[in-house]
């Protein structure tokens, strides 16, 4: 993103980049810098054995940043934004305690060419493929989980519903800069991105009688907010914090944020999509309830669905992974070991 010198990027709103110039918030038309499509990256070395997954955000500059870190050189053409958002690949490697065990390699026999090709000395011109020798459609993901590297992320997004709008606040309590992307189910709302530094927060406002917002962050972090505004519409304040014992826990608290004079009691249900367990409670304005959910069984992964009785269009969802500072495992739901419920 190219902006005036000494300008802080606050948020993006479609093609307009909101920048802070000498404590004044004003829109500037800038060149938007962003991370593009995901591509696979394989780190093969004596210091990266073990079949680990690393879901930290990297890009093409990460290789250069790794060289900088190793050899003490400096590349002047990497922007501060990319340095903040994209890691330097060092989290892929274990230089302190390398894995010296020799791996057992799988057999390559299943990948040999068909016998007819081998018999003809590798003459591919005479080989005619049939249905049994080619793959049709998209390959199915291998079932199971893999060990996963510890990541520097910890974040949350909270919604505040007003009379005619909803305000999302993006919190970054981790150790690395996070980019949140917000997509809306309402066609007139543009896609927005928010870059939040560690220890800071940003807010954005969406106006209208209804909202349908999906927020995405690193490593499967997601928050869904769907509902309506105006009198009588449910307004819940959902806060989540995280514990780091074992594989982690999520502490959630839900408050009925409607004004006291409305006297509207909301019957709130929270479903744990990994187990199917649920809890339902009637909550009066200003009151709330909460719980600490251990994530030991699912290696720190969580997916909570929040609904309100009598309001079928209201649906909030909190999903992601709790980082503890220690290595973990990839998502068992994505690996086909758990079927999400609710």
């Amino acid at each position: 993103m190219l902006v005036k010198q000494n300008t802080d990027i606050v948020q993006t709103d479609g093609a307009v980049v909101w920048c802070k110039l000498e404590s004044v918030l004003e829109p500037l038309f800038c060149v938007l810098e962003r991370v593009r499509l995901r591509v696979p990256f394989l780190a093969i070395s004596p210091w990266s054995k073990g079949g680990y997954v690393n879901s930290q955000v990297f890009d093409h500059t990460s290789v250069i940043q790794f060289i900088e870190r190793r050899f003490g050189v400096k590349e002047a053409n990497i922007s501060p934004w990319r340095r903040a958002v994209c890691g330097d690949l060092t989290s892929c490697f274990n230089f302190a305690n390398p894995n010296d065990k020799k791996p057992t390699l799988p057999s390559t026999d299943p990948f040999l060419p068909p016998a007819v090709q081998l018999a003809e000395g590798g003459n591919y011109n005479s080989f005619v493929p049939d249905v049994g020798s080619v793959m049709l459609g998209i390959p199915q993901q291998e079932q199971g989980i893999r060990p996963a590297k510890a990541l520097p992320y910890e974040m949350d997004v909270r919604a505040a519903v007003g009379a005619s709008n909803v305000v999302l606040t993006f919190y970054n309590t981790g150790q690395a800069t996070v980019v949140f992307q917000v997509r809306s189910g309402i066609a007139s709302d543009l896609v927005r991105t928010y870059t939040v530094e560690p220890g800071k927060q940003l807010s954005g406002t969406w106006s209208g009688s209804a909202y349908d917002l999906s927020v995405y962050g690193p490593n499967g972090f997601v928050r869904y907010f769907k509902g309506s505004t105006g009198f009588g519409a449910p307004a819940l304040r959902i806060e989540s914090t995280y514990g780091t014992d074992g594989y982690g826990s999520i502490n959630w608290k839900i408050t009925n944020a409607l004004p006291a004079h409305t006297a509207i009691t909301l019957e709130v249900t929270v479903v744990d999509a990994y187990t199917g367990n649920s809890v339902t409670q009637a909550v009066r304005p200003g009151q709330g309830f909460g719980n600490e959910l251990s994530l030991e069984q699912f290696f720190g992964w969580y997916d909570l669905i929040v609904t309100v009785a009598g309001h079928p269009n209201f649906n909030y969802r909190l999903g992601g992974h709790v980082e503890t500072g220690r290595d973990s495992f990839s998502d068992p739901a994505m690996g086909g070991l758990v079927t999400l419920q609710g």
Side-chain angles (χ1 to χ4, degrees), residues 154-157 173 221 223 240-244 249-251 302 321-323:
E154 184 179 272
M155 65 209 97
D156 192 21
V157 181
T173 52
F221 176 89
R223 295 290 188 269
S240 58
T241 56
Y242 311 103
T244 58
S249 61
I250 180 171
N251 300 270
Y302 65 92
H321 183 262
V322 172
E323 294 298 327

PDB file of all heavy atoms in Angstrom, residues 154-157 173 221 223 240-244 249-251 302 321-323:
ATOM      1  N   GLU A 154      -3.349 -14.190  18.465  1.00  0.00           N
ATOM      2  CA  GLU A 154      -4.460 -14.227  19.415  1.00  0.00           C
ATOM      3  C   GLU A 154      -5.347 -13.029  19.088  1.00  0.00           C
ATOM      4  O   GLU A 154      -4.885 -11.891  19.097  1.00  0.00           O
ATOM      5  CB  GLU A 154      -3.983 -14.149  20.869  1.00  0.00           C
ATOM      6  CG  GLU A 154      -5.121 -14.290  21.867  1.00  0.00           C
ATOM      7  CD  GLU A 154      -4.646 -14.242  23.311  1.00  0.00           C
ATOM      8  OE1 GLU A 154      -4.294 -15.309  23.857  1.00  0.00           O
ATOM      9  OE2 GLU A 154      -4.604 -13.132  23.884  1.00  0.00           O
ATOM     10  N   MET A 155      -6.619 -13.285  18.796  1.00  0.00           N
ATOM     11  CA  MET A 155      -7.473 -12.200  18.297  1.00  0.00           C
ATOM     12  C   MET A 155      -8.917 -12.458  18.679  1.00  0.00           C
ATOM     13  O   MET A 155      -9.304 -13.562  19.056  1.00  0.00           O
ATOM     14  CB  MET A 155      -7.324 -12.069  16.779  1.00  0.00           C
ATOM     15  CG  MET A 155      -7.823 -13.266  16.008  1.00  0.00           C
ATOM     16  SD  MET A 155      -6.986 -13.539  14.424  1.00  0.00           S
ATOM     17  CE  MET A 155      -5.779 -14.776  14.919  1.00  0.00           C
ATOM     18  N   ASP A 156      -9.724 -11.423  18.531  1.00  0.00           N
ATOM     19  CA  ASP A 156     -11.156 -11.528  18.765  1.00  0.00           C
ATOM     20  C   ASP A 156     -11.846 -10.407  17.996  1.00  0.00           C
ATOM     21  O   ASP A 156     -11.213  -9.378  17.680  1.00  0.00           O
ATOM     22  CB  ASP A 156     -11.483 -11.417  20.257  1.00  0.00           C
ATOM     23  CG  ASP A 156     -12.916 -11.819  20.577  1.00  0.00           C
ATOM     24  OD1 ASP A 156     -13.526 -12.551  19.757  1.00  0.00           O
ATOM     25  OD2 ASP A 156     -13.431 -11.420  21.634  1.00  0.00           O
ATOM     26  N   VAL A 157     -13.113 -10.609  17.690  1.00  0.00           N
ATOM     27  CA  VAL A 157     -13.942  -9.587  17.063  1.00  0.00           C
ATOM     28  C   VAL A 157     -15.257  -9.549  17.818  1.00  0.00           C
ATOM     29  O   VAL A 157     -15.864 -10.604  18.069  1.00  0.00           O
ATOM     30  CB  VAL A 157     -14.207  -9.877  15.570  1.00  0.00           C
ATOM     31  CG1 VAL A 157     -15.057  -8.765  14.959  1.00  0.00           C
ATOM     32  CG2 VAL A 157     -12.897 -10.020  14.818  1.00  0.00           C
ATOM     33  N   THR A 173      -4.544  -9.310  20.435  1.00  0.00           N
ATOM     34  CA  THR A 173      -3.811  -9.467  21.691  1.00  0.00           C
ATOM     35  C   THR A 173      -2.638 -10.443  21.520  1.00  0.00           C
ATOM     36  O   THR A 173      -2.081 -10.903  22.513  1.00  0.00           O
ATOM     37  CB  THR A 173      -4.751  -9.982  22.796  1.00  0.00           C
ATOM     38  OG1 THR A 173      -5.435 -11.160  22.334  1.00  0.00           O
ATOM     39  CG2 THR A 173      -5.782  -8.917  23.155  1.00  0.00           C
ATOM     40  N   PHE A 221      -9.417 -18.655  11.804  1.00  0.00           N
ATOM     41  CA  PHE A 221     -10.200 -17.756  12.658  1.00  0.00           C
ATOM     42  C   PHE A 221     -11.400 -17.229  11.879  1.00  0.00           C
ATOM     43  O   PHE A 221     -11.261 -16.755  10.741  1.00  0.00           O
ATOM     44  CB  PHE A 221      -9.339 -16.580  13.129  1.00  0.00           C
ATOM     45  CG  PHE A 221     -10.105 -15.566  13.945  1.00  0.00           C
ATOM     46  CD1 PHE A 221     -10.206 -15.698  15.313  1.00  0.00           C
ATOM     47  CD2 PHE A 221     -10.733 -14.485  13.333  1.00  0.00           C
ATOM     48  CE1 PHE A 221     -10.913 -14.765  16.066  1.00  0.00           C
ATOM     49  CE2 PHE A 221     -11.439 -13.563  14.067  1.00  0.00           C
ATOM     50  CZ  PHE A 221     -11.531 -13.700  15.440  1.00  0.00           C
ATOM     51  N   ARG A 223     -15.492 -15.267  12.521  1.00  0.00           N
ATOM     52  CA  ARG A 223     -16.615 -14.769  13.304  1.00  0.00           C
ATOM     53  C   ARG A 223     -17.749 -14.437  12.339  1.00  0.00           C
ATOM     54  O   ARG A 223     -17.537 -13.709  11.371  1.00  0.00           O
ATOM     55  CB  ARG A 223     -16.240 -13.518  14.120  1.00  0.00           C
ATOM     56  CG  ARG A 223     -15.185 -13.746  15.206  1.00  0.00           C
ATOM     57  CD  ARG A 223     -15.739 -14.578  16.342  1.00  0.00           C
ATOM     58  NE  ARG A 223     -14.834 -14.652  17.479  1.00  0.00           N
ATOM     59  CZ  ARG A 223     -13.904 -15.588  17.656  1.00  0.00           C
ATOM     60  NH1 ARG A 223     -13.755 -16.538  16.737  1.00  0.00           N
ATOM     61  NH2 ARG A 223     -13.138 -15.604  18.733  1.00  0.00           N
ATOM     62  N   SER A 240     -14.862 -13.050  24.250  1.00  0.00           N
ATOM     63  CA  SER A 240     -14.122 -14.293  24.435  1.00  0.00           C
ATOM     64  C   SER A 240     -12.674 -13.993  24.779  1.00  0.00           C
ATOM     65  O   SER A 240     -12.051 -13.110  24.185  1.00  0.00           O
ATOM     66  CB  SER A 240     -14.202 -15.171  23.180  1.00  0.00           C
ATOM     67  OG  SER A 240     -13.701 -14.491  22.049  1.00  0.00           O
ATOM     68  N   THR A 241     -12.176 -14.725  25.758  1.00  0.00           N
ATOM     69  CA  THR A 241     -10.758 -14.699  26.118  1.00  0.00           C
ATOM     70  C   THR A 241     -10.272 -16.152  26.116  1.00  0.00           C
ATOM     71  O   THR A 241     -11.066 -17.090  26.026  1.00  0.00           O
ATOM     72  CB  THR A 241     -10.522 -14.056  27.489  1.00  0.00           C
ATOM     73  OG1 THR A 241     -11.300 -14.761  28.476  1.00  0.00           O
ATOM     74  CG2 THR A 241     -10.945 -12.587  27.470  1.00  0.00           C
ATOM     75  N   TYR A 242      -8.958 -16.323  26.239  1.00  0.00           N
ATOM     76  CA  TYR A 242      -8.406 -17.647  26.018  1.00  0.00           C
ATOM     77  C   TYR A 242      -7.477 -18.064  27.154  1.00  0.00           C
ATOM     78  O   TYR A 242      -6.729 -17.254  27.692  1.00  0.00           O
ATOM     79  CB  TYR A 242      -7.642 -17.672  24.694  1.00  0.00           C
ATOM     80  CG  TYR A 242      -8.425 -17.077  23.544  1.00  0.00           C
ATOM     81  CD1 TYR A 242      -8.143 -15.793  23.074  1.00  0.00           C
ATOM     82  CD2 TYR A 242      -9.468 -17.776  22.950  1.00  0.00           C
ATOM     83  CE1 TYR A 242      -8.871 -15.237  22.029  1.00  0.00           C
ATOM     84  CE2 TYR A 242     -10.201 -17.243  21.904  1.00  0.00           C
ATOM     85  CZ  TYR A 242      -9.903 -15.965  21.452  1.00  0.00           C
ATOM     86  OH  TYR A 242     -10.630 -15.421  20.429  1.00  0.00           O
ATOM     87  N   GLY A 243      -7.537 -19.352  27.499  1.00  0.00           N
ATOM     88  CA  GLY A 243      -6.622 -19.938  28.464  1.00  0.00           C
ATOM     89  C   GLY A 243      -5.569 -20.760  27.740  1.00  0.00           C
ATOM     90  O   GLY A 243      -5.822 -21.300  26.663  1.00  0.00           O
ATOM     91  N   THR A 244      -4.395 -20.896  28.345  1.00  0.00           N
ATOM     92  CA  THR A 244      -3.270 -21.539  27.657  1.00  0.00           C
ATOM     93  C   THR A 244      -2.801 -22.825  28.313  1.00  0.00           C
ATOM     94  O   THR A 244      -1.785 -23.382  27.923  1.00  0.00           O
ATOM     95  CB  THR A 244      -2.080 -20.566  27.552  1.00  0.00           C
ATOM     96  OG1 THR A 244      -1.690 -20.141  28.870  1.00  0.00           O
ATOM     97  CG2 THR A 244      -2.444 -19.349  26.712  1.00  0.00           C
ATOM     98  N   SER A 249      -8.168 -23.247  26.207  1.00  0.00           N
ATOM     99  CA  SER A 249      -9.596 -23.152  26.495  1.00  0.00           C
ATOM    100  C   SER A 249     -10.089 -21.799  26.002  1.00  0.00           C
ATOM    101  O   SER A 249      -9.305 -20.869  25.787  1.00  0.00           O
ATOM    102  CB  SER A 249      -9.868 -23.300  27.996  1.00  0.00           C
ATOM    103  OG  SER A 249      -9.224 -22.254  28.728  1.00  0.00           O
ATOM    104  N   ILE A 250     -11.396 -21.702  25.806  1.00  0.00           N
ATOM    105  CA  ILE A 250     -12.012 -20.438  25.443  1.00  0.00           C
ATOM    106  C   ILE A 250     -13.020 -20.063  26.534  1.00  0.00           C
ATOM    107  O   ILE A 250     -13.857 -20.878  26.927  1.00  0.00           O
ATOM    108  CB  ILE A 250     -12.681 -20.484  24.051  1.00  0.00           C
ATOM    109  CG1 ILE A 250     -13.318 -19.125  23.725  1.00  0.00           C
ATOM    110  CG2 ILE A 250     -13.683 -21.619  23.936  1.00  0.00           C
ATOM    111  CD1 ILE A 250     -13.809 -19.009  22.296  1.00  0.00           C
ATOM    112  N   ASN A 251     -12.878 -18.857  27.042  1.00  0.00           N
ATOM    113  CA  ASN A 251     -13.798 -18.330  28.037  1.00  0.00           C
ATOM    114  C   ASN A 251     -14.741 -17.361  27.334  1.00  0.00           C
ATOM    115  O   ASN A 251     -14.310 -16.311  26.849  1.00  0.00           O
ATOM    116  CB  ASN A 251     -13.037 -17.590  29.142  1.00  0.00           C
ATOM    117  CG  ASN A 251     -12.050 -18.483  29.862  1.00  0.00           C
ATOM    118  OD1 ASN A 251     -12.375 -19.121  30.839  1.00  0.00           O
ATOM    119  ND2 ASN A 251     -10.809 -18.530  29.363  1.00  0.00           N
ATOM    120  N   TYR A 302     -12.072 -24.757  18.230  1.00  0.00           N
ATOM    121  CA  TYR A 302     -13.414 -24.501  18.758  1.00  0.00           C
ATOM    122  C   TYR A 302     -14.329 -23.976  17.660  1.00  0.00           C
ATOM    123  O   TYR A 302     -13.881 -23.410  16.660  1.00  0.00           O
ATOM    124  CB  TYR A 302     -13.366 -23.500  19.922  1.00  0.00           C
ATOM    125  CG  TYR A 302     -12.907 -22.114  19.516  1.00  0.00           C
ATOM    126  CD1 TYR A 302     -13.824 -21.130  19.145  1.00  0.00           C
ATOM    127  CD2 TYR A 302     -11.558 -21.784  19.495  1.00  0.00           C
ATOM    128  CE1 TYR A 302     -13.398 -19.859  18.768  1.00  0.00           C
ATOM    129  CE2 TYR A 302     -11.126 -20.529  19.125  1.00  0.00           C
ATOM    130  CZ  TYR A 302     -12.050 -19.565  18.760  1.00  0.00           C
ATOM    131  OH  TYR A 302     -11.634 -18.314  18.370  1.00  0.00           O
ATOM    132  N   HIS A 321      -8.747 -21.351  16.525  1.00  0.00           N
ATOM    133  CA  HIS A 321      -7.800 -22.175  17.285  1.00  0.00           C
ATOM    134  C   HIS A 321      -7.137 -21.319  18.345  1.00  0.00           C
ATOM    135  O   HIS A 321      -6.713 -20.186  18.071  1.00  0.00           O
ATOM    136  CB  HIS A 321      -6.733 -22.760  16.356  1.00  0.00           C
ATOM    137  CG  HIS A 321      -5.769 -23.674  17.037  1.00  0.00           C
ATOM    138  ND1 HIS A 321      -4.513 -23.260  17.460  1.00  0.00           N
ATOM    139  CD2 HIS A 321      -5.878 -24.975  17.399  1.00  0.00           C
ATOM    140  CE1 HIS A 321      -3.893 -24.282  18.029  1.00  0.00           C
ATOM    141  NE2 HIS A 321      -4.694 -25.331  18.005  1.00  0.00           N
ATOM    142  N   VAL A 322      -7.050 -21.848  19.552  1.00  0.00           N
ATOM    143  CA  VAL A 322      -6.402 -21.148  20.660  1.00  0.00           C
ATOM    144  C   VAL A 322      -4.920 -21.500  20.672  1.00  0.00           C
ATOM    145  O   VAL A 322      -4.554 -22.687  20.727  1.00  0.00           O
ATOM    146  CB  VAL A 322      -7.046 -21.512  22.008  1.00  0.00           C
ATOM    147  CG1 VAL A 322      -6.244 -20.920  23.162  1.00  0.00           C
ATOM    148  CG2 VAL A 322      -8.486 -21.011  22.056  1.00  0.00           C
ATOM    149  N   GLU A 323      -4.071 -20.480  20.607  1.00  0.00           N
ATOM    150  CA  GLU A 323      -2.622 -20.682  20.659  1.00  0.00           C
ATOM    151  C   GLU A 323      -2.143 -20.648  22.104  1.00  0.00           C
ATOM    152  O   GLU A 323      -2.532 -19.769  22.873  1.00  0.00           O
ATOM    153  CB  GLU A 323      -1.914 -19.609  19.843  1.00  0.00           C
ATOM    154  CG  GLU A 323      -2.190 -19.685  18.355  1.00  0.00           C
ATOM    155  CD  GLU A 323      -1.720 -20.983  17.734  1.00  0.00           C
ATOM    156  OE1 GLU A 323      -0.692 -21.529  18.203  1.00  0.00           O
ATOM    157  OE2 GLU A 323      -2.369 -21.465  16.791  1.00  0.00           O
TER     158      GLU A 323
END
